[in-house]
Amino acid sequence: MKTNKIYRALLDKSVSSMLAAIEVYNKPNFYYREDSFAILCVNAWELLLKAVLLKKNRYKMTSLYVMIPKKKKDGCRSKHMEPDTNRTGNPKTITIYEVIGRLKLSGLIPQPLEDNIDSIIELRDNAIHFANLKPISRTIQELGFATIKNYMNFIKSNNIEIDISQYNFYLMPLAYVDSKIDVDAVLTQEEKNYVSLIKKKIEGKRDDDDYDIAISIDINFTKSTSLDGIGVVYDAEGIPVEIKEEDFRKRFPLSYTALCEKCSTRYTDFKRNKRFNDVMRTIKTDSKLCHTRKLDDANPKSVKQQFYSSNVFKELDKVYTKK
């Protein structure tokens, strides 16, 4: 099937812009890292969302243009519309906020995703002067991790014609080299205002949302006198990680009772019946969604309890109707 040239160009430029944003951020020594990342990242989102809006409107370019009433010969405005033009005579396109607003009406832009993009736009628009980069860098990086995750998730969930498997979308954890500097540094008032804005957006986010406003990252180093402290797993697609038992409660925060309570508030047709039990039976077999914790790991007959990941709602959303 032939692809619209403008649509394809918007997608390709979007990916190129996001890759450029990541490349700039990951450079070992680069001034205005956060500003440059924000500018390129917003550009990537704007091009991607405009491509989606264009396809939704059957590739009509007027859907992306700022339309104004056409002028008559006598100077009056008619009922017919035409694209507004810039100084070069080219049509003006609508802003990213207008694009988000239109796609939001179609249910394509959930609130956490909008908040994340808006936070990146705020950084770009304010062009904050970083007198001390260390403390604000952590906030920006957590925002950046969420932005890239959301970007990939949006492409996958909307079946957009981009093969993201051929790209490496990741940010290096440069903001955590020296945690002492993060603690001792002082934020300017402008930086405090921006961090406060991000925190307010995060406060209203639910744990089971598919999109993130910011992703918090905590790195801990544990000294050990033997190699037993190093978890080693050979997997072609995996990363070697050692996880302690207490860490599982962070990954699996929901008890069965808490899960049922959330389902009652999330779905219109939820009932604890055979249908629900059948779904849960399948979920319990997935180690990524369910973790069984024993009171005594050494005793096979020990009392045990199941805990569930917030990602369990992705499976339950397929079965029940969200409110």
Side-chain angles (χ1 to χ4, degrees), residues 14 18 26 50 61-62 70 73 114 121 136 143 157 160 170 193 198 200 218 222 230-231 249 273 303 305 308:
S14 173
M18 183 59 78
N26 287 342
K50 283 183 175 178
M61 289 303 299
T62 52
K70 192 173 183 179
K73 292 182 179 180
E114 181 182 6
I121 295 173
I136 195 72
L143 195 66
S157 60
I160 298 172
Y170 62 87
N193 291 340
I198 304 303
K200 286 181 180 178
D218 188 15
T222 303
I230 304 176
R249 283 308 303 270
N273 52 18
V303 177
Q305 182 178 0
Y308 303 91

Side-chain angles (χ1 to χ4, degrees), residues 204-220:
K205 183 185 178 298
R206 301 188 310 184
D207 292 336
D208 54 346
D209 285 321
D210 294 332
Y211 293 94
D212 298 290
I213 300 171
I215 296 177
S216 178
I217 301 172
D218 188 15
I219 300 176
N220 293 314

Side-chain angles (χ1 to χ4, degrees), residues 147-292:
T147 298
I148 295 170
K149 175 179 177 289
N150 292 344
Y151 185 81
M152 297 174 66
N153 190 21
F154 186 82
I155 291 173
K156 290 179 181 179
S157 60
N158 290 284
N159 298 315
I160 298 172
E161 295 87 342
I162 296 177
D163 182 13
I164 59 176
S165 63
Q166 60 180 311
Y167 304 111
N168 291 320
F169 289 102
Y170 62 87
L171 294 183
M172 294 177 67
L174 300 177
Y176 306 101
V177 175
D178 192 341
S179 59
K180 292 181 179 179
I181 295 178
D182 289 356
V183 174
D184 297 335
V186 178
L187 289 173
T188 66
Q189 187 58 50
E190 289 79 8
E191 292 166 348
K192 289 180 181 178
N193 291 340
Y194 183 73
V195 174
S196 177
L197 172 68
I198 304 303
K199 288 182 177 179
K200 286 181 180 178
K201 291 180 181 293
I202 294 174
E203 287 174 358
K205 183 185 178 298
R206 301 188 310 184
D207 292 336
D208 54 346
D209 285 321
D210 294 332
Y211 293 94
D212 298 290
I213 300 171
I215 296 177
S216 178
I217 301 172
D218 188 15
I219 300 176
N220 293 314
F221 295 92
T222 303
K223 294 182 179 180
S224 176
T225 57
S226 70
L227 293 178
D228 293 337
I230 304 176
V232 180
V233 177
Y234 290 95
D235 190 307
E237 300 179 356
I239 300 175
V241 176
E242 179 194 15
I243 302 178
K244 298 178 181 178
E245 183 63 27
E246 56 265 26
D247 293 330
F248 275 104
R249 283 308 303 270
K250 296 179 181 179
R251 291 182 56 197
F252 304 93
L254 299 171
S255 65
Y256 180 80
T257 302
L259 175 63
C260 291
E261 291 175 353
K262 280 186 173 291
C263 286
S264 298
T265 59
R266 183 181 177 89
Y267 304 113
T268 59
D269 54 348
F270 172 75
K271 290 184 179 180
R272 293 173 62 174
N273 52 18
K274 183 178 182 301
R275 179 189 183 190
F276 178 65
N277 292 333
D278 290 341
V279 176
M280 291 303 298
R281 193 174 295 111
T282 302
I283 288 174
K284 288 178 181 179
T285 62
D286 191 337
S287 59
K288 295 180 181 179
L289 300 178
C290 177
H291 170 62
T292 300

Side-chain angles (χ1 to χ4, degrees), residues 5-17:
K5 292 183 179 179
I6 302 297
Y7 174 73
R8 185 70 259 170
L10 289 171
L11 294 182
D12 292 342
K13 289 183 178 180
S14 173
V15 172
S16 296
S17 186

Side-chain angles (χ1 to χ4, degrees), residues 283-313:
I283 288 174
K284 288 178 181 179
T285 62
D286 191 337
S287 59
K288 295 180 181 179
L289 300 178
C290 177
H291 170 62
T292 300
R293 187 172 187 178
K294 294 182 179 180
L295 183 62
D296 182 3
D297 289 333
N299 183 2
K301 297 182 180 181
S302 173
V303 177
K304 57 186 179 181
Q305 182 178 0
Q306 278 82 30
F307 293 90
Y308 303 91
S309 165
S310 297
N311 290 326
V312 72
F313 293 107

